[in-house]
Amino acid sequence: MSDDERILSDIRRIAKEMRPPSRTELERLHGWLEHSSPFVRAAAADATRFRLTNIRSEMVAALLSHARTDPSFVVKEACLDALGHVGMAYQELAEETGRPPDFQRDCPPPYRELRDLLMTVAQDKTQPESLRKVAILELGCLSDDPVAQQPLHAFLDDPSSVLRAAAAQGVGSRSAACEFEDKLLALFDDPDEDVERAAMLSCGKLAFPSALNRLRDLCSSPNPRIRGTAWISFAACGPIEEVEDLLPELAGTVADDDPLAEDLAEAHYQLSMRLPEDEELDDHYFGGGDEDDYAATEDIAEDFVVHEGGKALDEPQQAELRLEADTFQGFVVHYLGIEMEELTKENVREYLLDYFPQEVRVVPEDITVVPAHLARFLRFLASEAVVDHGNELATYAINLQSAFESAMRQAYEGNTPRGLGTGMGNDEPTPPLKAQSKVSRNAPCPCGSGKKFKKCCGR
């Protein structure tokens, strides 16, 4: 394992902790922001996306510097994302003073600089639209600030549907976004579906009473994407008794394999977040599932690593396997809203060809190992009787290798792919990956088990 791989493994461990980093960890992250590898710099910036109250001003200065001048698009994006979260933490500190906050006066000195940078990037038409979108989303984290509100108002009317949707989504990040109520409601009639859905979700988060009737009507929209979004938004802000009556009715109309099942699961979650801690939803809300079924998955990744540790893996390799297993479980349980035993080939395909390329930020240096690692995890689930058909799914994952590499190249077209190939020490585009030929049945299995393919994933 190279030095860069070891550093990435350390960063992943820090990022995975559900707590603010310690001072020592912050110092290490600060140092890694100056690393020669863009992947290490991006991962270090990404790991600061906590609402930190103890982040050092030197680190904020480093994030600002890289957001302005780093040659890697991925690093700039990660730094802008981190700065939005830091700015929101500064605002929360200012709001704890007990008086109406004056963000110019009450926030630490870096606040104004990071806010102004987000505004500059968002408004700079020479920047790629995707980078402007990130800046607008993060500016939404600061939308309690009247200075940040001005450009956000303008972006809600922008000719670009991508930027309108980003602004509509961004303003839903803060509780005092009533300044945007009229414009968000107007976007319910936007010709672009993504803009309309972003506005609906923000109105649900912000619980605008004026949106209730529109959301109630849209719960029966003929457009399934609008209908599912309305369920989520209405569950987040509608009268609780009405939502409690509505969701069981909807559950009877949605099959397990219906794409709307994911939206219904998210609506259930939104309702559960509003209920008192001692009040639980009935089983029929979750299709008869049990909360313990979800909690039980938390130990699977650790058991998997212990099981694989018998194959002489060092600690960083174990950490990487643990993270990949956790990522896949999060996709299944939280993104798809299903239990592990319900996994299908379509779920595996969606994970490798859609979710992983588009959503997963910190990836292994050699990205080609992801399908093989997934296959090992699926075989482990089969051996533990968690997924009866895990061996069949493992074979399917291995056979998606070439399609996965293609999806990764397409996801990072025009930018330096994170982790594609081994060129971690520079920003040069990675050479195209070699197309993987069909694995011979007598060849070693690509998953790394040491067995022949015909006796492992090829069964």
Side-chain angles (χ1 to χ4, degrees):
M1 178 173 283
S2 69
D3 289 342
D4 287 351
E5 288 178 288
R6 293 183 187 281
I7 293 171
L8 284 171
S9 180
D10 287 342
I11 293 174
R12 291 182 192 118
R13 279 198 292 270
I14 294 172
K16 184 181 174 185
E17 294 289 341
M18 298 303 292
R19 58 170 176 78
S22 66
R23 178 173 293 276
T24 300
E25 289 169 335
L26 283 174
E27 289 174 352
R28 297 177 75 193
L29 290 174
H30 186 195
W32 289 326
L33 279 173
E34 307 305 325
H35 197 276
S36 59
S37 164
F39 308 107
V40 171
R41 297 197 302 275
D46 188 60
T48 66
R49 288 191 308 123
F50 305 92
R51 298 184 180 182
L52 299 174
T53 57
N54 62 337
I55 189 167
R56 302 189 312 174
S57 58
E58 310 95 277
M59 189 164 188
V60 179
L63 291 170
L64 286 163
S65 174
H66 286 287
R68 290 189 182 101
T69 63
D70 200 283
S72 168
F73 170 87
V74 173
V75 177
K76 286 184 175 180
E77 177 184 314
C79 289
L80 290 173
D81 200 351
L83 288 169
H85 285 73
V86 172
M88 185 158 53
Y90 285 159
Q91 283 195 356
E92 290 171 348
L93 281 176
E95 290 164 352
E96 291 174 2
T97 60
R99 60 176 184 267
D102 180 335
F103 298 118
Q104 303 280 86
R105 177 194 64 207
D106 298 331
C107 287
Y111 171 77
R112 182 188 299 184
E113 188 177 359
L114 70 84
R115 179 200 63 196
D116 291 349
L117 176 62
L118 291 172
M119 291 170 58
T120 298
V121 174
Q123 295 170 322
D124 186 354
K125 294 183 180 180
T126 66
Q127 296 284 356
E129 188 175 68
S130 53
L131 192 64
R132 296 179 68 197
K133 173 185 173 181
V134 173
I136 293 169
L137 285 169
E138 298 312 315
L139 200 57
C141 293
L142 312 182
S143 56
D144 283 358
D145 185 341
V147 177
Q149 288 175 7
Q150 296 173 12
L152 287 169
H153 272 291
F155 284 121
L156 289 171
D157 295 321
D158 197 273
S160 166
S161 60
V162 172
L163 301 188
R164 287 200 309 279
Q169 179 182 343
V171 298
S173 304
R174 299 298 281 154
S175 60
C178 55
E179 293 285 337
F180 301 95
E181 183 171 356
D182 290 342
K183 283 195 172 180
L184 286 174
L185 288 171
L187 292 179
F188 278 35
D189 299 314
D190 195 278
D192 187 272
E193 184 179 284
D194 289 335
V195 177
E196 181 180 359
R197 294 175 68 230
M200 291 164 61
L201 289 170
S202 286
C203 284
K205 289 180 183 177
L206 300 168
F208 291 147
S210 56
L212 281 179
N213 286 335
R214 289 295 305 275
L215 291 173
R216 188 180 284 113
D217 292 341
L218 290 170
C219 283
S220 55
S221 167
N223 182 328
R225 295 188 74 206
I226 297 297
R227 189 162 70 248
T229 303
W231 295 350
I232 296 169
S233 302
F234 190 72
C237 67
I240 287 181
E241 290 184 2
E242 185 177 349
V243 176
E244 287 181 318
D245 290 339
L246 174 65
L247 294 187
E249 293 178 14
L250 295 176
T253 66
V254 179
D256 290 342
D257 57 351
D258 190 323
L260 280 171
E262 179 186 327
D263 293 329
L264 184 58
E266 178 62 23
H268 294 148
Y269 173 74
Q270 292 296 331
L271 174 59
S272 70
M273 294 294 289
R274 301 173 62 197
L275 296 174
E277 291 185 7
D278 58 348
E279 184 176 342
E280 297 181 358
L281 293 177
D282 293 335
D283 284 349
H284 64 260
Y285 278 110
F286 298 98
D290 190 319
E291 201 171 290
D292 290 340
D293 295 337
Y294 293 95
T297 64
E298 296 176 2
D299 299 327
I300 295 177
E302 193 60 43
D303 292 343
F304 168 59
V305 171
V306 171
H307 177 268
E308 296 294 306
K311 297 173 182 175
L313 295 174
D314 59 26
E315 186 176 340
Q317 289 173 318
Q318 291 186 28
E320 187 165 280
L321 281 180
R322 185 183 298 109
L323 181 66
E324 290 186 46
D326 280 340
T327 301
F328 182 67
Q329 286 184 97
F331 164 76
V332 174
V333 175
H334 301 297
Y335 184 81
L336 296 180
I338 64 175
E339 298 180 25
M340 298 296 287
E341 63 190 32
E342 300 176 71
L343 273 174
T344 66
K345 288 183 177 180
E346 280 305 308
N347 299 147
V348 172
R349 183 181 184 85
E350 181 179 359
Y351 177 74
L352 289 175
L353 305 191
D354 184 13
Y355 182 85
F356 195 98
Q358 299 297 333
E359 302 294 338
V360 179
R361 182 182 295 274
V362 180
V363 299
E365 177 185 13
D366 183 3
I367 199 66
T368 61
V369 303
V370 171
H373 284 178
L374 177 59
R376 290 165 72 173
F377 185 47
L378 290 167
R379 281 204 324 277
F380 170 74
L381 295 177
S383 71
E384 296 293 309
V386 176
V387 180
D388 292 339
H389 51 300
N391 289 324
E392 178 185 349
L393 295 179
T395 302
Y396 185 69
I398 289 291
N399 290 334
L400 287 175
Q401 181 75 38
S402 295
F404 170 74
E405 293 172 3
S406 223
M408 290 300 299
R409 283 196 300 271
Q410 184 177 356
Y412 294 103
E413 184 177 0
N415 303 307
T416 304
R418 289 191 303 275
L420 276 178
T422 57
M424 291 187 61
N426 58 65
D427 289 322
E428 294 299 317
T430 307
L433 296 165
K434 295 180 180 179
Q436 180 159 1
S437 57
K438 187 174 180 180
V439 181
S440 165
R441 286 181 56 76
N442 288 314
C445 187
C447 76
S449 65
K451 301 178 183 179
K452 291 185 178 181
F453 180 67
K454 66 182 181 182
K455 293 187 176 181
C456 190
C457 291
R459 286 186 293 184

